[in-house]
Amino acid sequence: MTISLRRWKTSSKPEVAYQRASEWLRTPRISHKIGLYSKLGWCRGLEAPSVERKLAAIFAADVEGYSRLMGQDEVGTLRTLTAYRVITDRLIAYYRGRIFNTAGDSLVADFASAVDAVQCAVAVQEAISKENSDRPADEQMRFRIGLHVGDIMVQNDNLFGDAVNIAARLEALAEPGGICVSGTVREHIGTKLPVEFVDLGQQQVKNIAQPIKAYRIEAETSPTGTPVGGLSLPLPDKPSIAVLPFQNMSGDPEQEYFADGMVEEIITALSRIRWLFVIARNSTFTYKGQTVDVKQIGRELGVRYVLEGSVRKAAGRVRITAQLIDAQSGTHLWADRFDGSFEDVFDLQDKVAFSAAGVIESTLQAAEIRRAADRPTTDLTAYDIYLRARPDCRSWDRERIRSALVLLERALERDPRFGPALALAAVCHHHFTTIGGVDDPAVHRRAALGYAQRALQAAPTDPGTIAEVAYMHGYFGEDIEPAIKLIDRALALNPSFYGGWGISGWLRLWAGHLDVAVEHLQTGIRLSPLYPNATQVYGIAVAHFFEGRFSDAIAMFVTALDELPGHAGIYRYLASCYAHAGRLDNAREIIKRLRTITPNILPNVVQWRRPEHREFFLSGLRLAAGEET
């Protein structure tokens, strides 16, 4: 290494020396040699860059037999590695990690929490195992992962310190498809996660003076043999429940939406009990049509109790059956059946919600349940139509949004004071102004605010309605404080309302409170851990963008676009982010894709209350679009 540096130093092109030395410095195996900074200082006449010290969990991974694979088929191996990297990068972003080095097949990332790092490692191995099962043998890759917790130094996009090297050495000790961790990681995890640590004893590794206590992680497995610990979440500090999709026993596929709506109403009723932690329907509905052990569901969603059941409709009558299960022991705590006429379906909802809550917390008072049972409408037909309109409205597809508005108009003909339908109509008009390509955006703005006002008058105590109205006022209004007061009111009524936390995060973003915004968006994701949560991920990405964390932001924008490929706003921010990161080719490619969705490249940004945020976003977007800044 010294000879190489001497040769670089005598080069007539210091900028070449700087580039080569920088590349060496980013290599994990020599990242502890901080003295290289003096060489880089000579190359550019700079002082040693400032370095941030912090305690972090280090994640190091590589591919078993990568050199052999490259020797056999370079192009095919690189293509396969790229596909696997998409998996690893998204999971690292999901578990709040940050990627630093990705040379060749190796990958280094850091996490603020050892729990997050271990969960991510197990999730990565589970996802890679599944990906391998879907590929022919000659296209499969097996990763080795090493984890360590220690003091590191961070300078720009580089990690330094013995902790990085230790994680890399542990990675080399891991079996293909396995995870090896240090004793420090084992101490941090304790009993927080359902994983087993197999003691590998003291290990003497290269370039580390003291032996390292090492463990192999063995995650609990599903019936198919793949680890399920990757999505395991710790139990919250209060009673927690997940309501699974009820089985439609009617034999009529057209009534499937009715069974789903029944579950949503139960979730809403339970969510309004402030001391009850309730998982959102979007996560529980990922189990729809599957036969999964309730213990696995409890681990993956981080809940103690699971409510499951069925709905049967026939001859104007409805029968609801439900049972409450302890997800840790598998014990059935309660089961019951409710029969009634079709017109009394919401009374049945009250009974199910009341009984389930009573088993979980015996001290709940009947008055709390009655206040929670604020049903949206007594007109079931209007409610049915509203349920059908929801997915079209949330699609971000112009034609589907128009279809949603037609359905909502039909619902409001039957019940003009149906608050959720009025709020959803406001959302549809908002989406038109965001997508662009409409003749008169002001018409949709007035319509959105008009529907929002009617919705709040019709359902002043419904958290979902209040939250949507808050969003409309935050986006279109001049003063954002009334909108923040509204969303705070919605969350006071329903603290487990994951969509409310998402909206609160966006309102805080627009107000310029980035740290609070990220906290609220992450709370929304925690309440619905299995649902993709594209809008929350998008919001966190925007916060990273304004903070100058471009690599993190880009990864999250790309993840959000996978779920919402028609969302013009995400394309705009991704293009601006690429431009500010100096990746103009990528930025202009995103602009090309944006033009296939909307002709409006530069949007109205009045919702951003801080002028510096508006200008930062627009300057990058103009640069991406090839305009003068």
Side-chain angles (χ1 to χ4, degrees):
M1 182 65 198
T2 303
I3 296 174
S4 298
L5 283 172
R6 186 177 300 118
R7 183 172 65 251
W8 294 346
K9 190 171 181 179
T10 58
S11 168
S12 60
K13 295 183 178 180
E15 66 273 12
V16 174
Y18 184 89
Q19 180 180 357
R20 291 177 178 174
S22 296
E23 290 171 356
W24 274 88
L25 191 60
R26 285 194 292 270
T27 304
R29 291 174 175 80
I30 63 166
S31 61
H32 64 289
K33 297 186 177 180
I34 197 68
L36 274 176
Y37 273 128
S38 62
K39 311 315 190 274
L40 300 184
W42 167 83
C43 295
R44 285 192 174 176
L46 300 175
E47 296 296 329
S50 60
V51 177
E52 173 196 358
R53 280 190 175 273
K54 67 177 183 177
L55 186 69
I58 305 301
F59 176 113
D62 73 353
V63 176
E64 179 244 348
Y66 181 72
S67 297
R68 172 179 51 82
L69 294 171
M70 287 293 286
Q72 295 172 352
D73 180 5
E74 286 188 357
V75 175
T77 298
L78 182 58
R79 184 188 306 115
T80 302
L81 178 63
T82 301
Y84 282 79
R85 273 283 166 75
V86 172
I87 296 172
T88 57
D89 290 3
R90 289 176 182 168
L91 284 170
I92 288 170
Y94 177 83
Y95 285 99
R96 296 170 291 278
R98 182 180 179 186
I99 297 173
F100 281 86
N101 294 301
T102 57
D105 64 315
S106 67
L107 184 155
V108 177
D110 81 335
F111 294 78
S113 160
V115 172
D116 285 344
V118 171
Q119 286 183 300
C120 181
V122 179
V124 164
Q125 295 294 29
E126 177 184 7
I128 295 298
S129 175
K130 183 179 185 301
E131 180 71 15
N132 281 337
S133 68
D134 296 333
R135 288 178 174 268
D138 60 348
E139 292 185 10
Q140 295 180 7
M141 288 185 173
R142 304 179 73 192
F143 282 69
R144 303 177 299 179
I145 299 176
L147 301 176
H148 179 59
V149 174
D151 189 66
I152 61 170
M153 294 173 285
V154 182
Q155 192 273 323
N156 294 332
D157 290 331
N158 295 304
L159 285 181
F160 311 100
D162 280 344
V164 180
N165 293 326
I166 291 173
R169 302 309 178 197
L170 290 167
E171 163 210 297
L173 296 176
E175 298 175 355
I179 305 166
C180 187
V181 306
S182 66
T184 309
V185 173
R186 173 69 181 88
E187 293 172 1
H188 276 266
I189 298 302
T191 59
K192 297 182 178 74
L193 297 174
V195 295
E196 180 181 351
F197 292 89
V198 178
D199 193 342
L200 301 180
Q202 298 285 345
Q203 300 287 327
Q204 186 68 56
V205 297
K206 184 178 179 181
N207 292 336
I208 303 299
Q210 300 297 323
I212 302 170
K213 183 72 170 178
Y215 293 84
R216 181 177 73 248
I217 284 184
E218 290 188 357
E220 299 185 36
T221 58
S222 67
T224 61
T226 58
V228 300
L231 289 176
S232 297
L233 293 170
L235 291 175
D237 57 358
K238 56 184 177 180
S240 51
I241 187 170
V243 184
L244 299 183
F246 279 20
Q247 187 177 2
N248 173 25
M249 305 295 291
S250 302
D252 180 3
E254 285 295 318
Q255 299 303 326
E256 193 73 29
Y257 74 93
F258 175 80
D260 294 347
M262 186 74 250
V263 171
E264 183 170 355
E265 290 303 303
I266 295 172
I267 290 174
T268 299
L270 292 174
S271 295
R272 292 174 185 164
I273 304 170
R274 298 190 181 189
W275 50 87
L276 184 61
F277 188 95
V278 183
I279 295 294
R281 79 177 288 281
N282 305 77
S283 283
T284 59
F285 269 61
T286 61
Y287 298 98
K288 187 176 177 66
Q290 301 183 34
T291 302
V292 186
D293 179 67
V294 293
K295 292 183 179 180
Q296 177 181 334
I297 293 171
R299 289 192 298 267
E300 293 179 352
L301 294 179
V303 295
R304 184 179 300 276
Y305 304 107
V306 171
L307 184 69
E308 61 181 16
S310 64
V311 175
R312 185 190 301 271
K313 282 176 58 181
R317 302 281 296 176
V318 60
R319 169 172 292 179
I320 303 169
T321 61
Q323 53 186 346
L324 185 67
I325 304 168
D326 186 320
Q328 291 194 316
S329 66
T331 304
H332 284 66
L333 302 176
W334 163 85
D336 209 341
R337 183 183 72 190
F338 305 93
D339 294 316
S341 67
F342 191 71
E343 292 76 16
D344 295 331
V345 66
F346 292 116
D347 291 333
L348 296 179
Q349 171 213 314
D350 291 346
K351 294 177 183 177
V352 174
F354 182 88
S355 299
V359 171
I360 296 171
E361 180 61 73
S362 60
T363 59
L364 289 176
Q365 299 178 3
E368 295 293 331
I369 294 293
R370 287 193 293 271
R371 282 197 292 270
D374 183 17
R375 295 185 293 272
T377 182
T378 57
D379 186 341
L380 190 61
T381 304
Y383 183 61
D384 292 347
I385 298 172
Y386 161 75
L387 289 177
R388 292 175 184 268
R390 285 187 54 177
D392 287 338
C393 175
R394 306 292 183 183
S395 68
W396 291 91
D397 178 88
R398 191 178 285 104
E399 294 306 317
R400 290 185 65 186
I401 295 171
R402 287 195 179 98
S403 298
L405 277 174
V406 171
L407 288 171
L408 291 169
E409 288 170 3
R410 286 173 51 195
L412 293 171
E413 287 174 1
R414 290 160 175 77
D415 186 353
R417 293 185 57 79
F418 186 10
L422 290 164
L424 195 63
V427 173
C428 288
H429 285 285
H430 161 268
H431 287 356
F432 277 130
T433 66
T434 302
I435 294 172
V438 294
D439 293 333
D440 190 353
V443 171
H444 292 286
R445 176 184 180 277
R446 288 193 297 270
L449 290 174
Y451 277 118
Q453 182 178 0
R454 290 172 57 192
L456 193 59
Q457 292 172 347
T461 60
D462 177 65
T465 299
I466 296 170
E468 299 290 12
V469 172
Y471 188 91
M472 295 304 113
H473 284 293
Y475 191 88
F476 293 116
E478 294 182 3
D479 185 2
I480 201 165
E481 287 307 316
I484 289 178
K485 289 180 180 178
L486 275 176
I487 194 60
D488 289 345
R489 174 177 151 197
L491 291 173
L493 288 167
N494 183 357
S496 293
F497 180 27
Y498 99 104
W501 285 105
I503 289 174
S504 180
W506 274 101
L507 292 175
R508 264 69 185 195
L509 275 178
W510 295 336
H513 307 149
L514 301 183
D515 291 341
V516 177
V518 170
E519 179 184 346
H520 287 199
L521 290 163
Q522 288 176 339
T523 299
I525 292 173
R526 174 61 184 92
L527 287 168
S528 184
L530 297 190
Y531 188 63
N533 290 299
T535 55
Q536 282 93 331
V537 172
Y538 170 28
I540 295 172
V542 170
H544 291 336
F545 165 67
F546 284 130
E547 291 170 341
R549 297 173 57 183
F550 300 131
S551 297
D552 294 342
I554 288 168
M556 300 187 83
F557 283 135
V558 171
T559 298
L561 275 178
D562 285 345
E563 276 186 62
L564 298 174
H567 198 303
I570 303 176
Y571 283 104
R572 293 184 182 113
Y573 281 96
L574 178 57
S576 183
C577 192
Y578 272 136
H580 280 296
R583 298 170 60 177
L584 287 180
D585 289 343
N586 298 103
R588 285 162 186 166
E589 181 61 31
I590 293 300
I591 291 295
K592 290 180 182 178
R593 293 165 63 183
L594 175 62
R595 292 188 193 278
T596 66
I597 299 172
T598 176
N600 297 347
I601 303 302
L602 297 178
N604 191 328
V605 291
V606 294
Q607 71 271 27
W608 296 102
R609 272 42 178 207
R610 289 194 176 181
E612 62 270 26
H613 285 171
R614 293 198 295 266
E615 182 52 33
F616 188 72
F617 166 53
L618 290 176
S619 63
L621 197 52
R622 293 189 195 102
L623 184 60
E627 300 181 23
E628 293 295 328
T629 57

